[in-house]
Amino acid sequence: MKRISWFVAIAVVLVLTPIAVVFSAPQAAWVKYIGNPVMSPGDGWDSGNVFAAKVLLDNGVYRMWYAGNSVSESRTRIGYATSPDGTNWTRENNSLPVLSYAGGGFWEAKGVSAPSVLYNAPKWEMWYAGTDATGRYSIGYASSPDGITWTKYAGNPVLSPSDSGADDASVVSPHVLYKDGIYHMWYAGRGDNNQIFYATSSDGKQWTKYAGNPVLQLGGDYQWDNGEIAAPSVIWTGARFEMWYQGYSRGTLQRYIGHAVSSDGMAWSKDDLNPVVGLEPGAWDANSVAYPSVGFSPSGQAMLWYQGEAGAGANKKLGVVYFDLNAVPTPRPTFPNEPPVDDGTPTPEISPIATQAPVATWTPIPVRCGQGQDCILLPAISK
């Protein structure tokens, strides 16, 4: 039985004063870069998988922090790479990880992953997931003068599972924004299933969980995200928060990327056009796309980095999609509620995309930030 893949259409409108972006209208699409994947497993500590990347633009240089593990070591660490264009990446720090797990019986004994990084002068700050010997995830904090040499906070973990409730099993995949003097964190909390939760902090270390959690919940029957919601990537546009996140379908047993919006970071509305990034048959990301990281080029071109895998258990790699105003959207198939039974009868395809992704062509979006304007839209570092 064939499974269908697609690009779901969305569009962007840029308002320059104040700056705002709206990612919801059926006239354009996220288009996969023809050179994907842009990063594959390496030769050393990350020879098995590279995944869960966070990308920031810093003075014209794209910086990436990503998780990886070797073919002989399941425990994960965090590496660092740079790029002049967001597609051609060079591993830095002598191709060694910049953050490793602590052994023994510590909260991160089985690995560190899923970094969220921001620059808050005069230091870089990172929140990351750590897993203990039982598979329980918590979130830690580290700081750095350069984004490469990191010092872990002595009071880690800074966010742990609750004693009871919908995040009493694990907390993982944090994303942190600093806005109006407050750190805002969205993260995946798991009780029975992963969903998106929200917390705030005045210093990035002492966190208060929102009483109304979870803020983004599982989809219902026959929805693409009815099995899991995790790995949020959030921007503030000057008018509202925009989130991209991964969802898992109980029907297809695969992950896709969706989009949601919020005026306050707590009450979220899912995009009617979800999921916005799907799978590509026969390609490196034919089985799952996950862990989005959204950013913008110096010209304002929207970009979304993500991890993909060709099949269940296949090596994880990293790719990128561009928001293309000239793309031709394709229809979205319906989702079964549970995995379909393969009775040997071929399933007709519903407008599948070509095996080869189209070349990314787009109209550059100008971005102007006048004196005193809020430029938090662009995840670029101002020093």
Side-chain angles (χ1 to χ4, degrees), residues 185-257:
M185 179 193 290
W186 295 267
Y187 64 95
R190 189 177 80 238
D192 294 326
N193 304 90
N194 279 321
Q195 300 179 91
I196 302 299
F197 289 68
Y198 174 66
T200 56
S201 172
S202 61
D203 61 4
K205 305 178 187 71
Q206 308 297 320
W207 291 89
T208 300
K209 296 180 180 180
Y210 173 52
N213 279 327
V215 295
L216 197 65
Q217 302 181 24
L218 297 178
D221 289 348
Y222 303 99
Q223 299 296 309
W224 69 279
D225 57 357
N226 62 4
E228 172 194 74
I229 291 179
S233 177
V234 183
I235 63 171
W236 168 253
T237 69
R240 64 182 184 178
F241 294 97
E242 308 261 352
M243 177 193 292
W244 289 261
Y245 63 96
Q246 74 184 44
Y248 179 75
S249 166
R250 298 199 319 263
T252 65
L253 306 181
Q254 294 169 319
R255 288 178 173 84
Y256 313 83
I257 292 172

